Amino acid sequence: MIKTIGIYLAIVMAFTACSSGTKSAAYPEYERVPASIVEFEVASDEQTLKDIRALNTALAANRTTEIKKDIDRRMAQILTRTSAGYILMKDFDKQLDAAVAQNQGFDLHSNSTYLKLQKTRELIEKVEMRMASVYVHLWKLSLGIDPFLDKMSATRKTNVQKRALQMISHAHAKLSEFSADARLLGVMNLKNHLEEITDNLSTDINMTPSSDRERGNKELYEGLVTTLRGIQAREPEAADLDYNEFIDQMAKVKTADPELKETMEREPQSNVVVEGFKNKTGSDFGKNKWVLTFDDGPHKEQTKKIAGILESNGLKGEFFWLSKLVKTLPSIAKDIYDKGHGINSHSIDHSNLPKLSTSQVTNQVSGSRDVIEKQLHDKGASSYTMKNFRCPYGACWAPKSAKVQQAIKDAGLTHIYWTVDTLDWQDKNTQSVLNRIIKQMKASGRGIILFHDIHPVAGNVLPILFKDKYVTDNSVQWLTL
Ligand SMILES: [Zn+2]
């Protein structure tokens, strides 16, 4: 049960990973080693692997204070980056309000706040994924199923297992502390995902422990659930947050986040640098003509729900999926295809393409196309051919992106950008997402709307959007690509 790893609050998915019980033949003392802890795909980037090696060394040498500090630093980083995203979103909404009030257009491509938001999202996901990997690694150690323990004496192994368990407890305690800040800063992603986990965890909590170790795990689960239930995220007041103050602080405080600071200073770039690179933005559509797009899935519940809403309104959508998720949910992919929706690629695993080597980029573009086509063909959709690709984070514009544009062109695909961003990855409030969509629709008059089918937001917003006065009064037409 590998979930949408690397997408959104991966730390939360690591917690979710505790949810399903299974038997471990290799370690019979555990009645239940959660399957998804065993199967969790640890991030394979160099930094994460380095982090895990350092963690092993520190655990073996009993340098637990050092590990605790490291956990604290990661948690703080998640919080500062998520907060930065929230502040940027509020800033974005303000600029949008002004554009609508003055009857001006609003172009995402050249809006520097929007570009910073995109970049911030990537940074949030990166730190979450690393934290999740460390967290799952700790679980594997504590459960005695990590190869690092293989060559150790029994005593040494037990000690490392105990320390790993202590570190998990520390992570949970930190999460509890963190929740106070979540309340202040309104980290809505966190709240929503944590609630989902609480539900998932209940299965394990109800298990009857048959050993001391299982009782220990049970206590840990229960402690975590108490922490999660205590989190009450709220919308921050204007006085709580100040973007400039935040940036000033970032430069001063010890936990300064150089990557994030660099993002804040980055200027927008948007160039087509490869001749013949085909890109659709929707800006040349006829008036009031729109395309609905859904990224980052498929998701076993949300994708089906969205398709159901579209169907009941007689509409078709365009899905931009990660090939590694299509592989795990081929039947859903086939079902969506059969219903007449567009199936497109959004890379293998949501990597930031300009940062990869040329051959890696080719793999992400052509490779993901091949995988998705094969999955659909194998399910019987023999005439399916992929036509479109969308870069993760929209990252194929900076001058560095020539290789990305070239790979898309070489794969015979058209890049699909977007005109309206719902910001549903950051904002979980149905009404404010709806307001943001309508304002951008007013400012642009036509184009492509971006949702994500891995979150419940689209499913909540769409039924209201289709009935909105702006949409009905302007006889908005929903098209496909
Ligand atoms: Zn995406």
Side-chain angles (χ1 to χ4, degrees), residues 7 121 295-296 320 322 346 350 390-394 450 452:
I7 327 294
R121 179 185 163 197
D295 286 12
D296 295 4
F320 289 81
L322 304 180
H346 192 38
H350 218 265
R390 175 176 276 167
C391 292
Y393 314 104
L450 167 65
H452 293 86

